Amino acid sequence: MNNGVAVFSNVVIIGDRLAFPRTKDCMRGGASLIHRLPDDSVHRVADFSDAWMPGPGYRDRMSPGKSVVLRSANVNDNGLYELTCGAGDETLIQVEVVPASRVSVTEGEDITVSFHHISVGGALAYARCDRNGTLFFEIEISSGNITYGPGLESRVSVSSGWKTDGDFSPTLRRAQMQDRGDYLFYALDKAKMRTRESLVTVRVEVKKNQSDLTTDPPTPVNATQRPAEGRMETWAIVGVTVAVTVPIVLALGIMLGRLWKSRKSSVPPCSRCGAFFFVP
């Protein structure tokens, strides 16, 4: 390995994707990405031709593409990776695959995440936490100075006894939806050059507060309006009944009149009806 090459660090949680974004800037024939194991043996992860193609042992975990992305990282993916794009063009990538505890909190509640590290007589000078890759807080152990991420100073606190008991566990007040994500706790030396130590990873989930999900109540019915509404319904029924019944009655009357008239005209005249009268 060449001296003075760029070195990058990547922390990923077990089961998550392991992405090498710098391979997107190294798409040229002959480029390669290898994994150098602790015993100095080498695994070829991918080579570039028309696309980044998976090497032996990675074909079931990677699809050809414009960058190298492994599905479901495991502990054997820990270690140093060498990205070579051409003669003398080399990038080193240190990968740490770590387990993560999971914490769930409801929006508006406080949350405390456990983190302990030696705070006396140690070589490491900083205790730090990153949230989703950006600063959450950092404590300089020698001076006690605390640096917070943007907008967090009023919401984050650390136990005042951290200097004597090594308890750096932060409390985050009034959790918000943007507070969810991955929190990495670790320690660094004064030059901040050494690999992270005492690494602890916590995945925080913030649930929506159900009490905020209000719905409009049903419109109340005015009791004084109900009788009027009832009368209106009754008159509507009467009107419909009359509208239906009257035509039927009229039709029956006309039919009966015609039947009576036809029967009367069909009776023959009585020539001897006078014999029935008594004459004294």
Side-chain angles (χ1 to χ4, degrees):
M1 294 183 292
N2 297 329
N3 294 327
V5 298
V7 180
F8 298 91
S9 183
N10 190 9
V11 178
V12 61
I13 294 173
I14 290 175
D16 284 359
R17 297 187 318 152
L18 172 53
F20 297 86
R22 299 191 180 280
T23 54
K24 190 173 183 179
D25 299 325
C26 183
M27 293 188 293
R28 63 187 69 169
S32 66
L33 178 68
I34 65 171
H35 182 195
R36 189 171 296 277
L37 302 181
D39 62 0
D40 212 31
S41 61
V42 171
H43 283 180
R44 186 167 295 278
V45 179
D47 297 290
F48 188 86
S49 52
D50 294 330
W52 279 104
M53 306 297 294
Y58 290 91
R59 289 168 187 161
D60 61 339
R61 301 179 57 201
M62 173 188 165
S63 299
K66 295 182 179 180
S67 63
V68 177
V69 180
L70 302 182
R71 293 184 286 271
S72 188
N74 60 64
V75 293
N76 288 327
D77 294 321
N78 270 296
L80 186 66
Y81 291 76
E82 300 175 15
L83 173 62
T84 303
C85 285
D89 187 1
E90 187 177 39
T91 300
L92 302 183
I93 304 168
Q94 183 69 39
V95 171
E96 297 174 78
V97 182
V98 297
S101 58
R102 285 168 169 76
V103 176
S104 180
V105 64
T106 300
E107 188 178 23
E109 294 180 345
D110 294 348
I111 182 173
T112 299
V113 181
S114 179
F115 176 52
H116 296 77
H117 177 70
I118 296 174
S119 57
V120 294
L124 299 179
Y126 295 92
R128 179 183 171 105
C129 174
D130 294 335
R131 179 179 67 184
N132 299 327
T134 60
L135 175 67
F136 187 67
F137 80 90
E138 180 181 86
I139 298 179
E140 186 177 24
I141 295 175
S142 61
S143 67
N145 291 334
I146 303 179
T147 303
Y148 299 94
L152 293 172
E153 186 170 358
S154 62
R155 298 179 55 217
V156 178
S157 61
V158 180
S159 170
S160 58
W162 64 264
K163 187 73 173 181
T164 56
D165 58 21
D167 185 359
F168 293 91
S169 304
T171 295
L172 174 64
R173 290 182 290 276
R174 303 180 305 278
Q176 302 170 8
M177 297 304 294
Q178 59 264 33
D179 294 323
R180 59 190 171 184
D182 296 334
Y183 290 68
L184 273 61
F185 299 86
Y186 55 94
L188 292 167
D189 66 350
K190 196 167 186 62
K192 298 185 179 182
M193 294 295 293
R194 291 174 56 180
T195 303
R196 299 181 180 101
E197 296 193 17
S198 302
L199 182 65
V200 174
T201 307
V202 179
R203 178 160 286 174
V204 173
E205 176 187 2
V206 180
K207 298 179 181 178
K208 191 71 177 175
N209 192 333
Q210 295 300 317
S211 63
D212 294 337
L213 303 178
T214 58
T215 56
D216 294 333
T219 303
V221 178
N222 191 335
T224 61
Q225 296 176 350
R226 289 178 179 172
E229 292 174 358
R231 288 195 297 269
M232 290 178 65
E233 293 178 359
T234 301
W235 282 111
I237 294 173
V238 171
V240 172
T241 303
V242 171
V244 174
T245 304
V246 169
I248 295 176
V249 172
L250 290 175
L252 287 175
I254 293 171
M255 291 175 63
L256 289 174
R258 289 177 179 177
L259 179 61
W260 171 257
K261 185 176 180 180
S262 62
R263 290 187 65 182
K264 183 176 179 181
S265 61
S266 64
V267 176
C270 181
S271 61
R272 300 177 62 184
C273 291
F276 291 98
F277 293 94
F278 174 72
V279 180

